[in-house]
Amino acid sequence: MTSESHYRLKDIFRDLRSEKFAEEMRGNWSTALLCRVPGFFLVWVFVRLRIGAMAVSLAALLLAFALPVLAYAVPIGTAGLWVAVTGLVFQVLDCADGTLARVTGTTSQAGADVDFLTDMAQWGFLYLAIGILADRTLDAGWGWSAVACAAAWVRLMARTARDRLDADDGSPPAPISLKNAVPVFLAGISGLLPFLALSGPWLGYAVIALLVYAVLDVLEGLLPLFRTIGR
């Protein structure tokens, strides 16, 4: 790795001008604002500690695994807070690993694959954790956990559909306008989902919201297919 003195905060913040950030602002604005920017400061620290992007991705994966454990094992009075904070820290690390790889010139296909799989694992474990919190809070056995797992499966299906059907012609993301503001807003709230763990007595509704949001995500991912069929 290049000498850490080469990477100043202003060099790292240049990532705000990248196509990646522009795409994220359009597709996931909450993560871009809430997690991407704080991640820049972590990148600055990681460079000086000589911590690589792959190590950051693996640390994030450990946090993802911890989500349902925290939801189940921590006293219910504080379990929701632990899940929400851990989910948020995961997203900061998930943003930081990609930025770290780009600014240090260490991007690789293996790193991108691990980052993708870690991200997908996090959504599954986060949804399950919120379901477990609902079951513990509402004394509902494992019912809400089952619904949350179904929502997670639908969410992963949405990502699969989007990756398969989206046509990427290499052009920059379309600017946000009044016409597409609502879809952009709805698509971008996924970064706020860890805060659903703080719903308390409303956790059942939070699980239902996860399922509805996942179904809408699938429908949006299938739009290119619908347009093709309709021609």
Side-chain angles (χ1 to χ4, degrees):
M1 182 180 291
T2 306
S3 173
E4 64 271 13
S5 62
H6 175 74
Y7 302 105
R8 297 166 294 179
L9 270 177
K10 69 176 185 178
D11 298 320
I12 296 169
F13 267 83
R14 287 196 186 106
D15 204 48
L16 288 173
R17 298 198 295 266
S18 68
E19 291 184 7
K20 170 71 174 176
F21 185 77
E23 179 183 351
E24 194 168 49
M25 277 298 295
R26 193 184 188 285
N28 196 351
W29 57 266
S30 60
T31 298
L33 296 176
L34 199 63
C35 304
R36 177 72 61 188
V37 174
F40 290 151
F41 295 97
L42 282 182
V43 169
W44 183 80
V45 173
F46 292 150
V47 167
R48 278 150 180 76
L49 294 177
R50 299 184 180 274
I51 296 174
M54 183 67 77
V56 176
S57 295
L58 294 177
L61 182 60
L62 290 177
L63 291 182
F65 285 140
L67 289 168
V69 176
L70 293 171
Y72 181 78
V74 173
I76 192 59
T78 57
L81 179 61
W82 276 98
V83 169
V85 171
T86 303
L88 187 62
V89 172
F90 169 91
Q91 293 193 47
V92 173
L93 291 178
D94 189 48
C95 290
D97 60 1
T99 302
L100 180 61
R102 284 191 295 276
V103 301
T104 58
T106 57
T107 57
S108 66
Q109 186 58 50
D113 291 340
V114 170
D115 182 56
F116 171 78
L117 294 173
T118 298
D119 192 40
M120 293 300 95
Q122 181 263 166
W123 289 120
F125 287 126
L126 175 64
Y127 281 35
L128 174 59
I130 294 174
I132 291 173
L133 289 173
D135 284 327
R136 293 183 66 194
T137 301
L138 305 174
D139 195 20
W142 292 98
W144 288 118
S145 297
V147 175
C149 286
W153 182 87
V154 176
R155 170 77 187 244
L156 299 182
M157 179 182 176
R159 179 59 184 265
T160 301
R162 185 172 289 107
D163 288 349
R164 173 66 179 174
L165 300 175
D166 271 0
D168 185 6
D169 57 6
S171 60
I176 299 174
S177 63
L178 289 177
K179 182 179 179 180
N180 62 18
V182 172
V184 167
F185 174 80
L186 292 177
I189 64 175
S190 65
L192 303 177
L193 294 183
F195 294 108
L196 290 178
L198 303 175
S199 300
W202 304 97
L203 275 162
Y205 293 104
V207 174
I208 294 173
L210 289 176
L211 181 59
V212 171
Y213 189 71
V215 170
L216 292 176
D217 205 18
V218 168
L219 294 176
E220 184 191 20
L222 292 176
L223 280 178
L225 178 61
F226 295 152
R227 294 191 187 105
T228 302
I229 295 174
R231 291 174 183 171

